[in-house]
Amino acid sequence: MKKLLILSILYLYSMILFGQGIRDSIYVIPTVDVNAKYIFDVEEAGMVKTHVDSAVMCQKIQSSLSTLLSENTPVFIKTKGKGALATASFRGTAASHTQVRWNGLNINSPMTGMVDFSLIPVFFVDAVSLEHGGSSIASQSGGLGGVVNLDNEPTWDDPFEIQYVQFVGDFHTYQEYGSLSFGTKNFQSKTRLYHNKSKNDYQFLNRQNYDYIDPNTGEFVHPVDTYKNGQYLMYGLMQEFYWRVNENNVISACYWGQNADRGIPKVISNEGPEDTNINNQIDNVSRGVIQWKHYGKSSTLEFCSGGSKKDLDYTLQNQVNGEGLICAINSKSTSYQFQNSLNYTKEFLNSLHFTGSIDYNRSWVDTHESVKMTGYKKSREQISLYASLSKSITERLNMKVQLRNEWYDRDYTKPIWFAGFDYKISDNYGLILQGNVSKNYHTPTLNDLYWQPGGNVDLQPEDGNTAELGLKGSIGNKYHSLNWSVTGYYSDIDNWIIWIPSFKGYWEPRNVKNVISKGVESQILWNRDWGNWKMKVKANYSYTRSINMEKSDVWGDESYKKQLVYIPVHSANVWFRLDYRWLNFTYQYNYFSERFTTTSNKLNERHWLYPYHMNELDCGVRFYQKNDRSAQVRFSVMNLFDEVYHSILFSPMPRRNYGVTLIFNI
């Protein structure tokens, strides 16, 4: 680690430096100023949206999207640790209920319906926004929890820029990121690269095993073990082209390819030999999207077409004497997606806004397990028609209605709809009351329907009805600004899909759950300037009750009216940053209440996850700046107070650890 750090510092003096951060487009598309007052926009009446602060994204530039969302939004991320599978629970819903879009292209797996957020580097994204609950209908169906939007944007004002980021951390972790941008006012090209690797071999106190009995106290002593087979290697490329044809037309093309080779560590309760149950997973994905935007005097026409291919190879091996490593599971899956959308918006003179779109999507999955000779090969076709009307009823009241109709393999689903309003209570305090009611559907994934063994072709779509009511406000002057919001929601979801053990000896998905998801989301963003001193504070708090309301006839089932597994009732995070000239200091705090791993929610049982508080410190020094050139070094302490915690049962997380980040801008 020391050698690499010295080489990195020496490398600084061999480079020509130029400043570049995460920037927004300044052409045609209005930028989002996170410091401004909430906008009373008729087109977003009743919609609950969150934009991740660009300063936070710069701070987390070397992190994965799982870390960014977990530490700075209401989304709960369930993960086994750095580099491991990370899935989202948005408003207490399942991982497949969070839809993720990259430049208008849905990147959820057609097999599982989920996204692994650990595979998305923040460095590859310029803007992150969330559409909560029913607001997600504007983008697509299926987001019973919400939608996460990831966007890339051109920087028309910069003819040339290079950025290089290097992170060196504990557990033999090395990360490198680089980007090159060049062009004119009418054409821009940007290339991004990254390469991450780690042995991920941290030590932990194994409370599931006992080493010996202390003769003085008579108590069991837990051994210190090493986290094994958690290593990973990831690398990727993103290429972007933007062409401003004329004042009214912009064409863009983006490609994203990456590979991840990861070991899957055993749970600490495993008592087998080390050369058994060796898990490994390789993810190889390629995505591409082309967009054309035409801006008229009072209308916009947009066409988007894209596709993706993902190969997933999973193996489980055991050591057999005289034979070596033998595969017990050897699964290879390939999925394809082809997506197209045509969107038209029109603003009329009487403050009436119309949006209409048509989407055609098709996906294919081919999966095969060569040991047990199982698998399936299926495809799915989706057609979606969408229309919305927004209108300013008075100077203080905006209303919006949305309707979406869909066909899956030519089978028509029930209409999806949204009706919302914004009411401006006060101009001085920026007080806005907003609310909405909506209906949404989530169709079963291809694995739910066809996985072998266990798929259930008789599954019904999950049916959600949601109501939301919130209040937000803004105050400020040239020295400070304060934005805040509070939203309460209530969702009633029928036909909840859950995989449960069957008498056949394997797990099967069934529509057995009715779930009530209700709660409160709140957010505060405060900015304060004192000349050379600048301070920013952002805080989130979520109260989430995701309750099973389905009575069971099975003897001993105590899940009725209990919290769903792995969903914390309380969660909070605080991000604090203080800048003084060439110095900056950042503090990150996260809290999650207890999470249950059994449906009975009994605290006296062994299998539950206790609450934890996570703290992180980051100190940065900008030690070179001339004209538009800059360079900085950051020192980070993760898990500041050496907390012992788990995000998933029997999967220990790292204790206190350190890292150094070097950022060179050319």
Side-chain angles (χ1 to χ4, degrees):
M1 176 175 173
K2 292 181 179 179
K3 291 182 179 179
L4 187 56
L5 179 58
I6 293 172
L7 290 174
S8 300
I9 295 175
L10 291 176
Y11 182 65
L12 165 68
Y13 295 99
S14 66
M15 300 182 68
I16 304 172
L17 306 173
F18 172 33
Q20 150 67 12
I22 297 176
R23 307 187 182 184
D24 295 324
S25 169
I26 63 168
Y27 174 74
V28 181
I29 306 172
T31 60
V32 177
D33 186 354
V34 296
N35 299 326
K37 291 186 177 182
Y38 288 116
I39 299 174
F40 191 59
D41 188 352
V42 63
E43 294 185 84
E44 295 188 0
M47 299 179 67
V48 182
K49 290 188 174 184
T50 298
H51 297 271
V52 177
D53 195 307
S54 58
V56 176
M57 294 185 64
C58 288
Q59 176 72 27
K60 299 295 182 181
I61 196 169
Q62 83 287 354
S63 303
S64 68
L65 194 63
S66 60
T67 301
L68 180 74
L69 294 177
S70 176
E71 295 182 353
N72 299 279
T73 73
V75 176
F76 174 68
I77 299 293
K78 186 174 70 173
T79 177
K80 287 189 174 182
K82 185 185 298 183
L85 175 68
T87 57
S89 175
F90 203 157
R91 289 189 169 184
T93 59
S96 61
H97 298 154
T98 299
Q99 302 297 310
V100 183
R101 296 169 65 84
W102 169 65
N103 293 326
L105 184 73
N106 181 275
I107 62 174
N108 289 65
S109 167
M111 293 179 59
T112 63
M114 301 185 301
V115 168
D116 186 349
F117 289 93
S118 70
L119 298 179
I120 303 176
V122 174
F123 188 79
F124 272 20
V125 182
D126 293 324
V128 178
S129 62
L130 279 62
E131 297 172 341
H132 302 238
S135 303
S136 65
I137 293 174
S139 296
Q140 66 175 84
S141 65
L144 299 181
V147 167
V148 179
N149 290 299
L150 314 175
D151 293 294
N152 298 111
E153 299 169 343
T155 51
W156 299 104
D157 57 332
D158 290 321
F160 178 82
E161 56 188 12
I162 293 178
Q163 185 174 45
Y164 176 76
V165 179
Q166 184 178 70
F167 173 85
V168 181
D170 279 335
F171 321 127
H172 303 90
T173 301
Y174 308 97
Q175 301 175 187
E176 292 182 290
Y177 306 85
S179 68
L180 167 65
S181 301
F182 63 89
T184 66
K185 293 183 178 180
N186 295 319
F187 176 81
Q188 286 285 320
S189 170
K190 185 165 188 175
T191 305
R192 314 185 203 212
L193 300 163
Y194 86 99
H195 179 271
N196 295 346
K197 66 176 181 178
S198 176
K199 287 187 178 180
N200 214 14
D201 53 352
Y202 53 85
Q203 291 186 329
F204 64 94
L205 188 66
N206 193 341
R207 298 182 182 275
Q208 303 302 318
N209 293 324
Y210 305 104
D211 202 358
Y212 63 93
I213 298 178
D214 190 318
N216 297 321
T217 64
E219 296 180 351
F220 287 105
V221 176
H222 300 287
V224 176
D225 286 344
T226 300
Y227 194 66
K228 298 178 181 178
N229 201 43
Q231 73 283 350
Y232 61 83
L233 171 64
M234 304 178 187
Y235 52 89
L237 161 73
M238 180 176 289
Q239 178 61 59
E240 307 160 53
F241 294 109
Y242 303 94
W243 181 27
R244 186 165 61 184
V245 181
N246 51 43
E247 293 182 355
N248 304 105
N249 294 277
V250 176
I251 297 175
S252 64
C254 298
Y255 169 79
W256 177 4
Q258 67 181 43
N259 180 275
D261 189 343
R262 300 178 287 177
I264 302 176
K266 304 174 187 178
V267 295
I268 60 178
S269 60
N270 179 73
E271 298 180 354
E274 292 188 3
D275 56 359
T276 60
N277 294 328
I278 302 173
N279 294 263
N280 191 78
Q281 180 172 315
I282 298 176
D283 297 83
N284 195 327
V285 63
S286 295
R287 304 183 179 103
V289 60
I290 298 175
Q291 293 178 306
W292 166 60
K293 297 181 181 180
H294 173 77
Y295 300 92
K297 185 176 181 180
S298 60
S299 63
T300 302
L301 180 65
E302 178 179 353
F303 174 72
C304 177
S305 180
S308 64
K309 176 190 176 185
K310 181 174 182 178
D311 295 313
L312 189 154
D313 297 342
Y314 169 77
T315 58
L316 186 151
Q317 297 177 303
N318 295 305
Q319 183 73 36
V320 177
N321 291 334
E323 298 291 336
L325 288 174
I326 301 298
C327 279
I329 299 176
N330 185 14
S331 175
K332 296 183 182 296
S333 304
T334 300
S335 60
Y336 301 88
Q337 289 179 286
F338 178 54
Q339 303 179 39
N340 303 271
S341 67
L342 183 65
N343 183 284
Y344 177 74
T345 61
K346 175 69 174 178
E347 180 180 355
F348 298 93
L349 294 177
N350 55 352
S351 300
L352 179 66
H353 296 254
F354 167 79
T355 299
S357 68
I358 179 171
D359 296 66
Y360 175 80
N361 306 318
R362 192 170 183 86
S363 56
W364 300 264
V365 169
D366 185 357
T367 178
H368 179 69
E369 202 285 303
S370 61
V371 176
K372 297 181 180 179
M373 301 301 293
T374 58
Y376 70 87
K377 188 175 182 180
K378 294 290 182 178
S379 65
R380 168 178 283 174
E381 183 181 59
Q382 176 193 9
I383 299 175
S384 179
L385 297 177
Y386 169 81
S388 74
L389 287 174
S390 307
K391 183 172 175 56
S392 294
I393 307 300
T394 68
E395 291 184 356
R396 293 187 175 274
L397 178 63
N398 294 334
M399 299 195 70
K400 182 183 183 75
V401 293
Q402 304 178 75
L403 178 65
R404 188 178 289 275
N405 288 287
E406 296 190 325
W407 291 260
Y408 283 87
D409 295 327
R410 300 184 181 180
D411 290 332
Y412 177 70
T413 64
K414 297 179 182 179
I416 299 169
W417 53 267
F418 169 100
F421 74 92
D422 281 354
Y423 181 75
K424 185 185 294 184
I425 300 175
S426 168
D427 290 320
N428 294 333
Y429 297 98
L431 284 178
I432 299 175
L433 178 69
Q434 62 178 184
N436 69 70
V437 291
S438 64
K439 174 179 280 291
N440 205 342
Y441 285 91
H442 179 259
T443 58
T445 67
L446 293 180
N447 274 9
D448 290 336
L449 297 171
Y450 306 115
W451 183 257
Q452 297 297 321
N456 184 354
V457 295
D458 296 322
L459 289 174
Q460 298 298 311
E462 295 167 297
D463 181 354
N465 297 283
T466 301
E468 303 176 24
L469 186 65
L471 186 68
K472 59 185 181 181
S474 304
I475 58 174
N477 52 40
K478 64 179 181 179
Y479 299 109
H480 76 93
S481 65
L482 175 66
N483 294 350
W484 59 271
S485 65
V486 179
T487 302
Y489 62 89
Y490 184 94
S491 296
D492 187 344
I493 304 174
D494 289 325
N495 296 324
W496 186 284
I497 296 175
I498 185 172
W499 285 70
I500 59 177
S502 70
F503 67 91
K504 303 173 186 177
Y506 50 78
W507 293 62
E508 291 181 331
R510 297 181 185 176
N511 294 113
V512 297
K513 297 290 184 181
N514 170 257
V515 173
I516 298 296
S517 177
K518 57 184 178 180
V520 176
E521 297 170 337
S522 61
Q523 181 182 103
I524 294 177
L525 174 61
W526 181 39
N527 292 274
R528 185 72 167 91
D529 289 353
W530 300 278
N532 292 325
W533 292 89
K534 299 181 185 298
M535 184 178 69
K536 178 172 288 190
V537 180
K538 186 173 184 179
N540 292 278
Y541 167 75
S542 296
Y543 171 80
T544 307
R545 291 287 288 162
S546 195
I547 306 169
N548 170 33
M549 299 301 294
E550 182 76 15
K551 291 185 177 180
S552 175
D553 296 330
V554 178
W555 182 85
D557 188 340
E558 302 180 52
S559 63
Y560 180 56
K561 289 189 176 181
K562 300 296 177 62
Q563 182 85 348
L564 297 188
V565 296
Y566 283 110
I567 305 297
V569 175
H570 303 280
S571 62
N573 56 69
V574 177
W575 184 83
F576 169 84
R577 181 180 174 108
L578 183 65
D579 288 81
Y580 177 74
R581 292 185 176 177
W582 44 270
L583 291 173
N584 61 77
F585 169 85
T586 305
Y587 168 69
Q588 177 79 56
Y589 168 79
N590 286 81
Y591 166 75
F592 297 102
S593 62
E594 68 271 2
R595 287 135 292 137
F596 301 100
T597 63
T598 59
T599 56
S600 62
N601 289 186
K602 290 184 178 179
L603 287 174
N604 59 348
E605 291 187 355
R606 181 184 183 189
H607 298 162
W608 67 283
L609 299 172
Y610 43 84
Y612 70 86
H613 305 260
M614 192 52 47
N615 298 267
E616 178 180 331
L617 280 180
D618 185 287
C619 298
V621 180
R622 189 175 63 252
F623 56 90
Y624 181 91
Q625 183 167 6
K626 185 177 181 181
N627 299 327
D628 289 329
R629 305 172 181 179
S630 67
Q632 61 176 303
V633 59
R634 297 207 311 257
F635 179 72
S636 304
V637 184
M638 283 71 70
N639 196 352
L640 179 64
F641 299 116
D642 206 22
E643 183 95 2
V644 177
Y645 71 105
H646 296 234
S647 179
I648 296 178
L649 188 66
F650 300 140
S651 296
M653 301 291 281
R655 303 286 290 272
R656 184 189 297 117
N657 60 98
Y658 307 89
V660 176
T661 305
L662 301 172
I663 303 177
F664 309 141
N665 295 312
I666 302 175

